Amino acid sequence: MPTHIKFSRRGFILMSLTTLAACKGGADVIELTGSTMGTNYSVTALDHDRAVDKDDLQRAVENSLLNVNAQMSNWDPKSEVSRFNSLTSTQPLTVSKDLAMVVQAAKDVNQASGGQFDVTLGPVIEAWGFGAEGGHKNAQPDPVKLAKAVEAAGKSQALHIDGNKLSKSDPAARIYLPSIGKGYGVDQMAKVVRGFGLTDFMVEIGGDLYVSGLNADGLDWQIGIESPDAHNRQAYRIASVSNLGMATSGDYRNYFEQDGVRYSHILDAHSGRPITHRTASVTVLAENTMLADAWSTAMLALGTERGLELANQRDLAVMFIDRGGVADEKNFIATNSKRFTALQA
């Protein structure tokens, strides 16, 4: 059987069901778009006082994103995280308080998820061809190379933060931040938009988003969560969201197939292999997008059975979407945590 390879941005779509042109109260609608972090960003904001210069806002947003990239991009060899990764000693490196905070949040989610969220998983991600270096071989990695990659990962708790100093007790530890840095970038965009006096807005990078206040109809923002069907882009469910970060992780757009078996980019951090359970998509609502971003990855790696128990223990708002069965790839079953259900009531 021929091998197929498919890549896309994170496995979900976002849709505001409000017709912004029909904005109540005479507010201007500011809409901005651009490119960042290998994907696109967007801003939709209601300017009730008609006092914001659109160009000034876009410049401020893009400057904030450039700053995030300078701190956290694994693609930029001069970024703070790249400089840290290049260290071959345990000596501390002075970094921005932002990077230190993101690494600490990653460590916290790593510990809470039993290690399934792991920002040191980069060697394994690269071995499968899903990382910054690319090099996808349309096939499983060599077992010996994969074993070495797994041994080189799993070092989140070897990372140490002391104020704005970052160090590693294992010199081989490397940090890989796409699964949390994009969400942090969204939070920085939200901070900029608020700084312009705007309170009703949605900001988004590659599908990770933060929404504040109300939409143009005076209601919570209505966000479409995509059905986890690789061949059709349509809303599976609509979430009402306000003053929360939101992120969805899916296994159905970034994968390759070999001999009739699909290998997802979502990896079990312990085995170093793609997940095999029936959970296809996970959506998380959180106080900020950084945490929603990290937890959506962790929950998808865990799967519904283990993830739901943890979500209810920690009062996390999570919606899991599972495939119906091996021969039933297009019928899906949604399961909500108690907190997710309460937020949608």
Side-chain angles (χ1 to χ4, degrees), residues 56 285 291:
D56 287 347
L285 300 174
L291 290 175

Side-chain angles (χ1 to χ4, degrees), residues 17 21 31-32 37 44 64-65 76 79 85 92 99 110 131 139 154 157 254 267 274-275 302 330 338:
L17 301 186
E31 295 183 291
L32 307 175
M37 303 182 189
T44 301
S64 74
L65 293 173
D76 180 358
S79 71
N85 286 346
L99 179 59
N110 172 267
Q157 297 310 314
N254 195 356
L267 305 175
I275 57 173
L302 287 165
K330 296 194 179 292
K338 294 177 182 177

Side-chain angles (χ1 to χ4, degrees), residues 209-279:
L209 64 89
Y210 184 88
V211 292
S212 175
L214 304 175
N215 65 18
D217 289 332
L219 305 171
D220 287 354
W221 294 82
Q222 304 297 295
I223 309 298
I225 300 171
E226 188 181 49
S227 176
D229 182 345
H231 305 292
N232 296 293
R233 300 184 71 88
Q234 59 185 5
Y236 175 80
R237 186 155 297 178
I238 307 302
S240 295
V241 188
S242 180
N243 301 319
L244 290 169
M246 176 176 174
T248 300
S249 287
D251 73 346
Y252 58 98
R253 293 202 182 278
N254 195 356
Y255 65 91
F256 70 91
E257 292 181 359
Q258 182 185 9
D259 299 328
V261 177
R262 178 168 58 184
Y263 296 91
S264 166
H265 77 294
I266 300 296
L267 305 175
D268 182 296
H270 301 307
S271 69
R273 298 188 62 81
I275 57 173
T276 58
H277 52 63
R278 304 303 299 171
T279 305

Side-chain angles (χ1 to χ4, degrees), residues 45-276:
L46 308 184
D47 183 6
H48 297 285
D49 297 328
R50 300 188 177 188
V52 174
D53 183 283
K54 180 178 177 179
D55 292 337
D56 287 347
L57 178 60
Q58 184 142 26
R59 278 191 292 270
V61 165
E62 294 195 345
N63 284 337
S64 74
L65 293 173
L66 287 173
N67 187 54
V68 172
N69 272 297
Q71 295 164 339
M72 304 179 195
S73 173
N74 289 91
W75 283 260
D76 180 358
K78 297 181 180 179
S79 71
E80 288 184 13
V81 72
S82 292
R83 287 191 287 115
F84 178 77
N85 286 346
S86 69
L87 293 177
T88 57
S89 73
T90 60
Q91 292 300 309
L93 177 70
T94 299
V95 299
S96 63
K97 62 180 179 62
D98 304 298
L99 179 59
M101 184 270 291
V102 169
V103 173
Q104 183 61 60
K107 282 170 58 67
D108 293 343
V109 177
N110 172 267
Q111 187 169 25
S113 66
Q116 283 295 359
F117 181 77
D118 182 7
V119 293
T120 70
L121 199 62
V124 182
I125 296 170
E126 296 291 355
W128 282 94
F130 292 120
E133 296 179 5
H136 211 296
K137 301 295 190 299
N138 298 359
Q140 298 184 67
D142 176 80
V144 174
K145 292 182 179 179
L146 180 59
K148 290 182 179 179
V150 171
E151 184 178 354
K155 300 182 185 298
S156 285
Q157 297 310 314
L159 306 173
H160 306 286
I161 300 104
D162 181 9
N164 65 337
K165 294 185 182 298
L166 184 61
S167 62
K168 44 190 171 182
S169 52
D170 184 338
R174 303 287 186 272
I175 303 175
Y176 188 80
L177 292 176
S179 57
I180 191 170
K182 188 169 64 172
Y184 178 74
V186 172
D187 293 334
Q188 293 303 100
M189 290 172 64
K191 183 177 179 180
V192 168
V193 174
R194 280 201 189 93
F196 277 73
L198 301 170
T199 56
D200 298 318
F201 62 83
M202 177 176 71
V203 292
E204 172 259 338
I205 299 176
D208 290 357
L209 64 89
Y210 184 88
V211 292
S212 175
L214 304 175
N215 65 18
D217 289 332
L219 305 171
D220 287 354
W221 294 82
Q222 304 297 295
I223 309 298
I225 300 171
E226 188 181 49
S227 176
D229 182 345
H231 305 292
N232 296 293
R233 300 184 71 88
Q234 59 185 5
Y236 175 80
R237 186 155 297 178
I238 307 302
S240 295
V241 188
S242 180
N243 301 319
L244 290 169
M246 176 176 174
T248 300
S249 287
D251 73 346
Y252 58 98
R253 293 202 182 278
N254 195 356
Y255 65 91
F256 70 91
E257 292 181 359
Q258 182 185 9
D259 299 328
V261 177
R262 178 168 58 184
Y263 296 91
S264 166
H265 77 294
I266 300 296
L267 305 175
D268 182 296
H270 301 307
S271 69
R273 298 188 62 81
I275 57 173
T276 58

